[in-house]
Amino acid sequence: MSGGERVNDYDASCADCGLPVPAGAGLLRHGAKGWEVFHPAHAPKPGPPPRGTHPGWHRRRLLALDIGSTGHRPGVDRIRSAALRGSDGTAHDWILDIGSDIQPPADVAPDGLPDGHSGGLTDTPPAPRPDPLPPPLALEELATLLTAHLATGELLVVWFAPHVLSTLHAELLRHGLPPLAERLPAGVAPVCDPLVLDRHADRYRPGSRSLRAVTEWYGVPHAAPGDPASDAGASLLVAQAVAACHPPLARLSRPALHTEQIIWYAEQTSRHPDALDWPFTPVEPLPWEPVPEG
């Protein structure tokens, strides 16, 4: 029995053979009716609940956003690349010409962001790469597409939204462009953050909650972790998978889903007083500076 496995706290019966399983001697697994107990020899491979055919927001049009940035300081770090991927086949990619004076530290890894963000710190999109654009032009194109989508009331999928949307907010201000909050009378909503959803739906699952790990858990393809295009596509598929595996989440209306995530994220970050707000914090742009050593 591996150290990360969940065991039964109470006496139960094995869901496979029906024989008794003393407390602490069995393994817990997701089943069609919730958690089930198995003898270790009878336990199926760990995995999410089976996907259902129920309706929900996951079957509507979704648009996913991810960015490549020079780090995880929303007011300081710069967006180097960005990608949008839609459930209808929409695909947009940008490379921003941020200049040679601003570079990420050499030792920043894709999984370096807090709260399980796994993408955006490496910038190696597969060919063909779009031509680099001046940041104001690229950011205005991106913001215009995001505004048009959110204005329809459909969900914007953003893995670890507080980092991505806070960084985008500061970058738009930095280049003299209206932030999303000023473009949308109803606010930056509705947003779907698959990291928040997965942590809420399966809060006791051991192991990493990086995008790489969560895609593996749900069996979602993720060809190039760290590439915004791949991360955006994977985030969209994870959002659909979480809702397909957890009908109560799928049944929420889009406004209700947005509101509930504010509450769930606050619970998930209650021990981190410096955590950004969800879905974003309206941070002011700050001058560029390298990541302090040590």
Side-chain angles (χ1 to χ4, degrees), residues 65-68 77-84 93-98 132-147 164-180 183:
L65 163 69
D66 197 74
I67 63 172
D77 284 298
R78 309 300 170 84
I79 294 177
R80 303 174 65 203
S81 54
L84 294 178
D93 299 275
W94 295 268
I95 300 294
L96 281 66
D97 184 2
I98 61 173
L133 294 175
L137 178 58
L139 291 167
E140 179 59 33
E141 289 181 359
L142 173 59
T144 298
L145 290 170
L146 293 175
T147 300
V164 174
L165 295 181
S166 299
T167 302
L168 177 59
H169 178 91
E171 280 282 67
L172 289 168
L173 289 177
R174 175 175 287 113
H175 294 284
L177 301 171
L180 295 181
R183 300 171 188 242

Side-chain angles (χ1 to χ4, degrees), residues 148-237:
H149 176 78
L150 287 169
T152 67
E154 299 295 347
L155 286 162
L156 175 65
V157 176
V158 191
W159 178 271
F160 193 23
H163 165 70
V164 174
L165 295 181
S166 299
T167 302
L168 177 59
H169 178 91
E171 280 282 67
L172 289 168
L173 289 177
R174 175 175 287 113
H175 294 284
L177 301 171
L180 295 181
E182 293 182 8
R183 300 171 188 242
L184 293 156
V188 185
V191 174
C192 170
D193 188 333
L195 175 59
V196 173
L197 296 190
D198 179 59
R199 282 179 163 167
H200 173 76
D202 198 359
R203 67 181 63 188
Y204 300 113
R205 185 174 80 244
S208 171
R209 296 297 176 113
S210 69
L211 180 55
R212 188 194 306 257
V214 175
T215 55
E216 291 177 356
W217 176 255
Y218 286 100
V220 166
H222 191 195
D227 162 33
S230 180
D231 288 352
S235 298
L236 190 151
L237 294 176

Side-chain angles (χ1 to χ4, degrees), residues 30 48-50 52 54 197-198 201-202 218 241-251:
H30 282 294
H54 49 276
L197 296 190
D198 179 59
D202 198 359
Y218 286 100
V242 173
C245 293
H246 300 281
L249 284 179
R251 285 196 290 266

Side-chain angles (χ1 to χ4, degrees), residues 29-36 38 44-54 58-59 201-202 217-219 240-251:
R29 291 288 184 267
H30 282 294
K33 299 180 180 180
W35 287 101
E36 298 176 327
F38 293 86
K45 183 180 178 180
R51 300 192 189 193
T53 58
H54 49 276
H58 60 301
R59 299 187 180 276
D202 198 359
W217 176 255
Y218 286 100
Q240 293 174 321
V242 173
C245 293
H246 300 281
L249 284 179
R251 285 196 290 266

